[in-house]
Amino acid sequence: MPEELLDATDHEILGLLREDARRTLSDIAGRVTLSTAAVKRRIDRLRETGVITGFTVQVDHAKLGWGIEAFTELRFVGNTKVDEILHTTTRMPEAQAVFTIAGDPDALVWLRVRDMAHLQKTIDEIRRHHQVTGTKTLIALESWSRGN
């Protein structure tokens, strides 16, 4: 659904759901001055058209023992297909997201690990892939995210 088909109320509803996906329909309705039924119809339409793709929970990974975030640039041999680049790390539990990039580097992998030894092991595992020609890793000190 092109963004121009969403009105200000749709954007407001999306913003409220980004803040807290567990908000009740009545809470959202009160904030956007619509009926609960009208809010439900709008949310259903946003889901049906693929604007809303799901509802998630935010986790404090540090409390689970996975508090270190890093980003690793990957370079591959020249004839590597994009699908192969994606499959290099997508099966790794440490990989949170993989972005293929036009240009240099070929991909950026967002990693989450327990400690520096775990990061080293993870990078070593990535480097063992026969088509990876180089890596560069950056460790995140702090993060902020707007959300999806």
Side-chain angles (χ1 to χ4, degrees):
M1 169 180 277
E3 186 174 336
E4 60 269 7
L5 297 180
L6 301 179
D7 64 16
T9 303
D10 290 329
H11 284 286
E12 191 174 358
I13 290 170
L14 288 170
L16 290 167
L17 288 172
R18 281 187 191 123
E19 288 174 7
D20 183 358
R22 293 184 59 183
R23 285 184 192 275
T24 64
L25 293 174
S26 61
D27 176 57
I28 295 170
R31 292 173 186 262
V32 299
T33 62
L34 288 176
S35 70
T36 301
V39 169
K40 182 179 181 334
R41 282 193 303 274
R42 283 176 180 256
I43 291 173
D44 288 346
R45 179 178 48 83
L46 292 168
R47 290 182 73 193
E48 289 166 8
T49 58
V51 173
I52 294 176
T53 58
F55 298 89
T56 64
V57 63
Q58 293 180 351
V59 175
D60 184 338
H61 293 280
K63 289 184 180 176
L64 296 175
W66 290 65
I68 296 176
E69 290 181 278
F71 295 87
T72 299
E73 296 177 356
L74 301 180
R75 287 167 183 74
F76 288 80
V77 295
N79 62 351
T80 306
K81 295 181 177 158
V82 173
D83 286 347
E84 293 175 53
I85 291 172
L86 287 173
H87 293 300
T88 300
T89 57
T90 55
R91 291 187 197 103
M92 299 174 71
E94 297 85 359
Q96 304 301 297
V98 181
F99 305 90
T100 56
I101 301 170
D104 185 35
D106 298 303
L108 180 66
V109 181
W110 170 25
L111 299 170
R112 190 177 297 280
V113 295
R114 293 182 298 275
D115 53 34
M116 296 308 290
H118 187 194
L119 178 60
Q120 181 177 342
K121 179 182 171 206
T122 301
I123 299 302
D124 286 346
E125 184 178 339
I126 291 170
R127 287 179 175 168
R128 280 194 292 275
H129 190 277
H130 66 280
Q131 293 192 319
V132 173
T133 61
T135 64
K136 176 183 175 184
T137 300
L138 307 160
I139 298 171
L141 300 177
E142 194 171 346
S143 66
W144 174 88
S145 174
R146 184 173 309 282
N148 292 332

